[in-house]
Amino acid sequence: MVTYNYLLPDDWAQVRLDPLDRSSVKQLTDRMFADIDDEVTRVRVSGWVTSRMTTQLEEISSRGAWAAYLPAEDPRLSPVRPMIVTRSFDMKATDSDPMEVLVALAAESDGEFSTIEPRNMMGLKIRMPEDPGKALLDSLAEVPDDILELTTRDELLAAAAETTRLSRRIQYIIGDPSDLDRWMAIEASVSCMLAEEASTALDGVEEFFDAWVTALSWVDEDDAEESTEEEKPDE
């Protein structure tokens, strides 16, 4: 059995996805909205978010993810919404050397790529391109025709800019080059309101993602019982 150690800030939480631990989702949303004084409002808001989050995590879980990590804070009050998802990466799918596989992945990607080196591992980081203009246009795609006839394109774009979120997606492939069973993919994403400082805010969260990935470490079965950190779900 292969497990991994990770570090999280106190205001973040893990949700196991292999299989989905629904009790963890409920515990997370309870923490998110604990500061809402009115019990009826708190229960309604928490229940609605729990339902939406469970649906989202079920879909991620169905793709073979191990776990998700995200802040346990009220999303209405946070300018950014980050999430990290871990899953297995099958380095045995080809007969190629791990470095050759990473080079091929970088060559095939549309994003910016760089190397990353967690302890005793090697890895690839790919940051997918952002397109603020596309984000705005996408936000208008479902506007009904009768509404479009009542205003101008510029007015709609200005209104959309106040509610549109800019997203950044980063993929990491990391592992032990001497052990093909010790490879994982990490998908990190963050969104924030489309504003002048949006890129700076996303840059700050990306630095956190890099640090989180760099701090990951594999744990042997013999050492797992002694580890004080949490582990990925059993395979």
Side-chain angles (χ1 to χ4, degrees), residues 128-147:
M128 304 309 295
E130 302 157 15
D131 189 343
K134 183 178 184 301
L136 273 177
L137 293 176
D138 287 347
S139 70
L140 301 182
E142 298 181 2
V143 176
D145 291 339
D146 57 339
I147 298 299

PDB file of all heavy atoms in Angstrom, residues 128-147:
ATOM      1  N   MET A 128      -2.702  26.145 -17.129  1.00  0.00           N
ATOM      2  CA  MET A 128      -3.528  26.345 -18.308  1.00  0.00           C
ATOM      3  C   MET A 128      -3.757  27.837 -18.537  1.00  0.00           C
ATOM      4  O   MET A 128      -3.844  28.625 -17.584  1.00  0.00           O
ATOM      5  CB  MET A 128      -4.865  25.626 -18.153  1.00  0.00           C
ATOM      6  CG  MET A 128      -4.712  24.134 -17.870  1.00  0.00           C
ATOM      7  SD  MET A 128      -3.619  23.294 -19.042  1.00  0.00           S
ATOM      8  CE  MET A 128      -4.573  23.487 -20.555  1.00  0.00           C
ATOM      9  N   PRO A 129      -3.845  28.264 -19.801  1.00  0.00           N
ATOM     10  CA  PRO A 129      -3.981  29.697 -20.096  1.00  0.00           C
ATOM     11  C   PRO A 129      -5.306  30.263 -19.615  1.00  0.00           C
ATOM     12  O   PRO A 129      -6.334  29.577 -19.609  1.00  0.00           O
ATOM     13  CB  PRO A 129      -3.873  29.740 -21.626  1.00  0.00           C
ATOM     14  CG  PRO A 129      -4.264  28.371 -22.083  1.00  0.00           C
ATOM     15  CD  PRO A 129      -3.805  27.433 -21.018  1.00  0.00           C
ATOM     16  N   GLU A 130      -5.275  31.527 -19.213  1.00  0.00           N
ATOM     17  CA  GLU A 130      -6.481  32.244 -18.808  1.00  0.00           C
ATOM     18  C   GLU A 130      -6.919  33.157 -19.942  1.00  0.00           C
ATOM     19  O   GLU A 130      -6.107  33.628 -20.723  1.00  0.00           O
ATOM     20  CB  GLU A 130      -6.200  33.091 -17.561  1.00  0.00           C
ATOM     21  CG  GLU A 130      -5.708  32.306 -16.376  1.00  0.00           C
ATOM     22  CD  GLU A 130      -4.936  33.181 -15.407  1.00  0.00           C
ATOM     23  OE1 GLU A 130      -5.031  34.413 -15.522  1.00  0.00           O
ATOM     24  OE2 GLU A 130      -4.222  32.631 -14.568  1.00  0.00           O
ATOM     25  N   ASP A 131      -8.198  33.396 -20.019  1.00  0.00           N
ATOM     26  CA  ASP A 131      -8.732  34.269 -21.065  1.00  0.00           C
ATOM     27  C   ASP A 131      -9.866  35.098 -20.477  1.00  0.00           C
ATOM     28  O   ASP A 131     -11.026  34.692 -20.524  1.00  0.00           O
ATOM     29  CB  ASP A 131      -9.230  33.438 -22.247  1.00  0.00           C
ATOM     30  CG  ASP A 131      -9.580  34.311 -23.453  1.00  0.00           C
ATOM     31  OD1 ASP A 131      -9.754  35.530 -23.273  1.00  0.00           O
ATOM     32  OD2 ASP A 131      -9.678  33.755 -24.569  1.00  0.00           O
ATOM     33  N   PRO A 132      -9.542  36.282 -19.910  1.00  0.00           N
ATOM     34  CA  PRO A 132     -10.595  37.114 -19.313  1.00  0.00           C
ATOM     35  C   PRO A 132     -11.695  37.473 -20.309  1.00  0.00           C
ATOM     36  O   PRO A 132     -12.869  37.516 -19.966  1.00  0.00           O
ATOM     37  CB  PRO A 132      -9.836  38.361 -18.846  1.00  0.00           C
ATOM     38  CG  PRO A 132      -8.417  37.912 -18.697  1.00  0.00           C
ATOM     39  CD  PRO A 132      -8.208  36.873 -19.741  1.00  0.00           C
ATOM     40  N   GLY A 133     -11.306  37.725 -21.563  1.00  0.00           N
ATOM     41  CA  GLY A 133     -12.302  38.072 -22.571  1.00  0.00           C
ATOM     42  C   GLY A 133     -13.269  36.929 -22.807  1.00  0.00           C
ATOM     43  O   GLY A 133     -14.487  37.129 -22.903  1.00  0.00           O
ATOM     44  N   LYS A 134     -12.745  35.711 -22.893  1.00  0.00           N
ATOM     45  CA  LYS A 134     -13.606  34.545 -23.095  1.00  0.00           C
ATOM     46  C   LYS A 134     -14.510  34.331 -21.893  1.00  0.00           C
ATOM     47  O   LYS A 134     -15.671  33.945 -22.028  1.00  0.00           O
ATOM     48  CB  LYS A 134     -12.760  33.298 -23.342  1.00  0.00           C
ATOM     49  CG  LYS A 134     -13.583  32.040 -23.625  1.00  0.00           C
ATOM     50  CD  LYS A 134     -12.688  30.858 -23.919  1.00  0.00           C
ATOM     51  CE  LYS A 134     -13.504  29.620 -24.305  1.00  0.00           C
ATOM     52  NZ  LYS A 134     -14.446  29.221 -23.246  1.00  0.00           N
ATOM     53  N   ALA A 135     -13.967  34.571 -20.688  1.00  0.00           N
ATOM     54  CA  ALA A 135     -14.789  34.417 -19.485  1.00  0.00           C
ATOM     55  C   ALA A 135     -15.998  35.346 -19.529  1.00  0.00           C
ATOM     56  O   ALA A 135     -17.117  34.961 -19.161  1.00  0.00           O
ATOM     57  CB  ALA A 135     -13.949  34.693 -18.235  1.00  0.00           C
ATOM     58  N   LEU A 136     -15.781  36.570 -20.000  1.00  0.00           N
ATOM     59  CA  LEU A 136     -16.887  37.515 -20.110  1.00  0.00           C
ATOM     60  C   LEU A 136     -17.899  37.054 -21.152  1.00  0.00           C
ATOM     61  O   LEU A 136     -19.106  37.055 -20.914  1.00  0.00           O
ATOM     62  CB  LEU A 136     -16.358  38.896 -20.489  1.00  0.00           C
ATOM     63  CG  LEU A 136     -15.920  39.808 -19.340  1.00  0.00           C
ATOM     64  CD1 LEU A 136     -15.354  41.099 -19.907  1.00  0.00           C
ATOM     65  CD2 LEU A 136     -17.084  40.107 -18.417  1.00  0.00           C
ATOM     66  N   LEU A 137     -17.401  36.660 -22.317  1.00  0.00           N
ATOM     67  CA  LEU A 137     -18.303  36.239 -23.385  1.00  0.00           C
ATOM     68  C   LEU A 137     -19.090  34.989 -22.987  1.00  0.00           C
ATOM     69  O   LEU A 137     -20.272  34.867 -23.297  1.00  0.00           O
ATOM     70  CB  LEU A 137     -17.515  35.993 -24.667  1.00  0.00           C
ATOM     71  CG  LEU A 137     -16.882  37.247 -25.298  1.00  0.00           C
ATOM     72  CD1 LEU A 137     -16.040  36.857 -26.498  1.00  0.00           C
ATOM     73  CD2 LEU A 137     -17.952  38.262 -25.692  1.00  0.00           C
ATOM     74  N   ASP A 138     -18.409  34.058 -22.296  1.00  0.00           N
ATOM     75  CA  ASP A 138     -19.099  32.855 -21.847  1.00  0.00           C
ATOM     76  C   ASP A 138     -20.236  33.192 -20.896  1.00  0.00           C
ATOM     77  O   ASP A 138     -21.264  32.512 -20.865  1.00  0.00           O
ATOM     78  CB  ASP A 138     -18.120  31.891 -21.172  1.00  0.00           C
ATOM     79  CG  ASP A 138     -17.192  31.218 -22.177  1.00  0.00           C
ATOM     80  OD1 ASP A 138     -17.465  31.306 -23.387  1.00  0.00           O
ATOM     81  OD2 ASP A 138     -16.199  30.614 -21.734  1.00  0.00           O
ATOM     82  N   SER A 139     -20.030  34.225 -20.091  1.00  0.00           N
ATOM     83  CA  SER A 139     -21.063  34.600 -19.118  1.00  0.00           C
ATOM     84  C   SER A 139     -22.307  35.159 -19.803  1.00  0.00           C
ATOM     85  O   SER A 139     -23.385  35.202 -19.215  1.00  0.00           O
ATOM     86  CB  SER A 139     -20.513  35.638 -18.133  1.00  0.00           C
ATOM     87  OG  SER A 139     -20.311  36.891 -18.775  1.00  0.00           O
ATOM     88  N   LEU A 140     -22.154  35.594 -21.062  1.00  0.00           N
ATOM     89  CA  LEU A 140     -23.295  36.139 -21.799  1.00  0.00           C
ATOM     90  C   LEU A 140     -23.965  35.102 -22.697  1.00  0.00           C
ATOM     91  O   LEU A 140     -24.999  35.378 -23.291  1.00  0.00           O
ATOM     92  CB  LEU A 140     -22.829  37.310 -22.688  1.00  0.00           C
ATOM     93  CG  LEU A 140     -22.170  38.490 -21.982  1.00  0.00           C
ATOM     94  CD1 LEU A 140     -21.818  39.565 -22.996  1.00  0.00           C
ATOM     95  CD2 LEU A 140     -23.067  39.062 -20.898  1.00  0.00           C
ATOM     96  N   ALA A 141     -23.383  33.918 -22.765  1.00  0.00           N
ATOM     97  CA  ALA A 141     -23.860  32.927 -23.730  1.00  0.00           C
ATOM     98  C   ALA A 141     -25.301  32.520 -23.484  1.00  0.00           C
ATOM     99  O   ALA A 141     -26.027  32.181 -24.426  1.00  0.00           O
ATOM    100  CB  ALA A 141     -22.955  31.704 -23.704  1.00  0.00           C
ATOM    101  N   GLU A 142     -25.755  32.561 -22.217  1.00  0.00           N
ATOM    102  CA  GLU A 142     -27.100  32.086 -21.912  1.00  0.00           C
ATOM    103  C   GLU A 142     -28.097  33.225 -21.685  1.00  0.00           C
ATOM    104  O   GLU A 142     -29.208  32.987 -21.213  1.00  0.00           O
ATOM    105  CB  GLU A 142     -27.054  31.186 -20.669  1.00  0.00           C
ATOM    106  CG  GLU A 142     -26.196  29.939 -20.866  1.00  0.00           C
ATOM    107  CD  GLU A 142     -26.175  29.049 -19.651  1.00  0.00           C
ATOM    108  OE1 GLU A 142     -26.872  29.394 -18.674  1.00  0.00           O
ATOM    109  OE2 GLU A 142     -25.484  28.021 -19.671  1.00  0.00           O
ATOM    110  N   VAL A 143     -27.701  34.446 -22.052  1.00  0.00           N
ATOM    111  CA  VAL A 143     -28.634  35.571 -21.909  1.00  0.00           C
ATOM    112  C   VAL A 143     -29.738  35.435 -22.961  1.00  0.00           C
ATOM    113  O   VAL A 143     -29.451  35.305 -24.153  1.00  0.00           O
ATOM    114  CB  VAL A 143     -27.901  36.911 -22.100  1.00  0.00           C
ATOM    115  CG1 VAL A 143     -28.897  38.074 -22.041  1.00  0.00           C
ATOM    116  CG2 VAL A 143     -26.831  37.078 -21.034  1.00  0.00           C
ATOM    117  N   PRO A 144     -31.011  35.449 -22.567  1.00  0.00           N
ATOM    118  CA  PRO A 144     -32.111  35.291 -23.529  1.00  0.00           C
ATOM    119  C   PRO A 144     -32.108  36.395 -24.582  1.00  0.00           C
ATOM    120  O   PRO A 144     -31.697  37.532 -24.328  1.00  0.00           O
ATOM    121  CB  PRO A 144     -33.367  35.363 -22.642  1.00  0.00           C
ATOM    122  CG  PRO A 144     -32.879  35.023 -21.265  1.00  0.00           C
ATOM    123  CD  PRO A 144     -31.485  35.559 -21.193  1.00  0.00           C
ATOM    124  N   ASP A 145     -32.609  36.064 -25.778  1.00  0.00           N
ATOM    125  CA  ASP A 145     -32.620  37.026 -26.877  1.00  0.00           C
ATOM    126  C   ASP A 145     -33.442  38.266 -26.551  1.00  0.00           C
ATOM    127  O   ASP A 145     -33.099  39.383 -26.958  1.00  0.00           O
ATOM    128  CB  ASP A 145     -33.183  36.356 -28.149  1.00  0.00           C
ATOM    129  CG  ASP A 145     -32.235  35.302 -28.710  1.00  0.00           C
ATOM    130  OD1 ASP A 145     -31.031  35.363 -28.382  1.00  0.00           O
ATOM    131  OD2 ASP A 145     -32.709  34.422 -29.463  1.00  0.00           O
ATOM    132  N   ASP A 146     -34.554  38.075 -25.813  1.00  0.00           N
ATOM    133  CA  ASP A 146     -35.390  39.234 -25.517  1.00  0.00           C
ATOM    134  C   ASP A 146     -34.680  40.219 -24.595  1.00  0.00           C
ATOM    135  O   ASP A 146     -34.928  41.429 -24.654  1.00  0.00           O
ATOM    136  CB  ASP A 146     -36.728  38.802 -24.910  1.00  0.00           C
ATOM    137  CG  ASP A 146     -36.559  37.970 -23.649  1.00  0.00           C
ATOM    138  OD1 ASP A 146     -35.466  37.399 -23.467  1.00  0.00           O
ATOM    139  OD2 ASP A 146     -37.501  37.895 -22.846  1.00  0.00           O
ATOM    140  N   ILE A 147     -33.766  39.718 -23.754  1.00  0.00           N
ATOM    141  CA  ILE A 147     -32.982  40.606 -22.899  1.00  0.00           C
ATOM    142  C   ILE A 147     -31.913  41.314 -23.734  1.00  0.00           C
ATOM    143  O   ILE A 147     -31.655  42.511 -23.550  1.00  0.00           O
ATOM    144  CB  ILE A 147     -32.325  39.812 -21.754  1.00  0.00           C
ATOM    145  CG1 ILE A 147     -33.402  39.171 -20.879  1.00  0.00           C
ATOM    146  CG2 ILE A 147     -31.424  40.721 -20.917  1.00  0.00           C
ATOM    147  CD1 ILE A 147     -34.327  40.151 -20.208  1.00  0.00           C
TER     148      ILE A 147
END
